[in-house]
Each structure stands twice: as C-alpha cells, then as structure tokens.
Amino acid sequence: AFLGGLSFPLCIREAASGTPGVGKTTLGKELAARSGLKYVNVGDLAREGQLYDGYDEEYDCPILDEDRVVDELENQMSEGGVIVDYHGCDFFPERWFHIVFVLKTDNSVLYKRLETRGYNEKKLKDNVQCEIFQILYEEALASYSEEIVHQLPSNKPEDLEDNINQILNWIEQWIKDHSS
Ligand code: DAT
C-alpha cells in the first residue's frame, strides 16, 4: 500500500526472466498492479507488431527479431518505470535494467505447467532441461552485473506472494536511495 505515494517520475526498470511456465507473467502483472509500474510482455509485443525474423520449424514457433524488439522498446525504457517480461534477457541493452529477476521452478512442477500448455514433446523436454541446467540464470549473470541478478523460487502461490513483497520492498528502497 506504500505505492500510493509513487507519483514522481519513476526510473525503475526490471526484467523478469526464466523458462516459459515459471510464472513471469503472473508475477509481472501482479507486481505492475501493486507497484504502479508498467508491465511489458515481450512475447505479446512481438506478436502484435509481428517483430519476427523467420520461423523455427523444430520448435514450432516464430523467431524473434531482437533488434526490432529493442528499437520498439527503447523510448519507454529510457523513461523508466517498466517491468519487462521475457524468457531471455541477453539481447537487451545492459543500461535498460536496474534489477533482473530470474524465476526458478522445480522440474516436476514445471513439466506439469508446460504439459497443460500443449507443448510438443521436444519443446517440453528442452524447456525442462533448460531449467535443470539453469541456463537462463547463467545467461542473466553473463549479461548483467552479478549484484543486480536475483533468482526467486516460483513453485507455490506463497512464493508469488513472497516474491512480490520482496520486490516491492526493493522498489521502495530504490526510490529512497534515488530521490534526494
Ligand atoms: P510464464 O509467463 O513464465 O510463462 P505464467 O505466469 O504464465 O508463466 O505461469 C504459468 C502457470 O503457472 C500459470 O498457470 C500460473 C501458474 N503459476 C505461476 N506462478 C505460480 C506460483 N508461484 N505458484 C503456483 N502456480 C503458479
């Protein structure tokens, strides 16, 4: 409820990263609702603007045109106050983000979530493996300063609540530190 006070220009930018199905959208939207920050879903943005560059037959999905996504987001990212949701974060300019959260889900839980999405066998297996090997966390660590990359558990509804509270506290602190 402290968020009622956030009327001055915000310059917070966050990324939620992690394997599909770990709960990025759920967290990002809820966080936006409770913080007043703006939520941007890169997958939706790409679909709406058809920001694609070819089609991946093996994974049965369009290939993201990363440069066009970056161009499309540049203006609002330099304004700040944005939560960006995508399963990867290595192609975004480093200066865009003050903090990066990588959600982590146990394999058995993740498998069930992806199964209900109707993923094909290969996509299911590869995504669960990606999670097992912590590939997206490693990617985030390689792309941003280690101090701003945080891994958060995302298995149970209580995790969601804890994560949101933790991030809201972080935002509050960030504003205090930068409002002088
Ligand atoms: P993503 O955006 O990472 O692909 P999502 O937000 O769509 O993931 O969530 C996938 C599914 O998991 C969806 O049915 C909601 C559920 N979910 C998300 N976070 C959860 C949590 N902390 N506990 C239990 N279920 C969760």
Side-chain angles (χ1 to χ4, degrees), residues 39 47 57 64 85 93 100 114 139 147 154 156 160 172:
Y39 169 79
R47 210 168 305 121
E57 299 293 341
L64 194 73
D85 168 355
V100 177
L114 295 180
E139 179 188 289
E147 307 89 75
S154 182
K156 322 181 281 291
L160 176 66
E172 189 177 27

Side-chain angles (χ1 to χ4, degrees), residues 6-49:
L6 288 187
S7 54
F8 51 92
L10 263 179
C11 194
I12 292 174
R13 304 170 215 112
E14 304 175 15
S17 185
T19 313
V22 292
K24 299 181 298 298
T25 305
T26 310
L27 175 75
K29 286 187 172 163
E30 183 64 22
L31 189 63
R34 284 166 63 175
S35 66
L37 299 183
K38 196 176 164 210
Y39 169 79
V40 172
N41 184 304
V42 173
D44 290 347
L45 185 86
R47 210 168 305 121
E48 284 155 19

Side-chain angles (χ1 to χ4, degrees), residues 92-119:
F92 299 127
E94 197 180 347
R95 65 187 152 78
W96 273 9
F97 299 108
H98 295 116
I99 195 157
V100 177
F101 298 101
V102 183
L103 300 185
K104 179 178 164 50
T105 302
D106 292 344
N107 308 320
S108 52
V109 178
L110 183 64
Y111 194 94
K112 285 199 198 89
R113 287 188 197 164
L114 295 180
E115 224 178 6
T116 55
R117 280 192 184 176
Y119 273 27

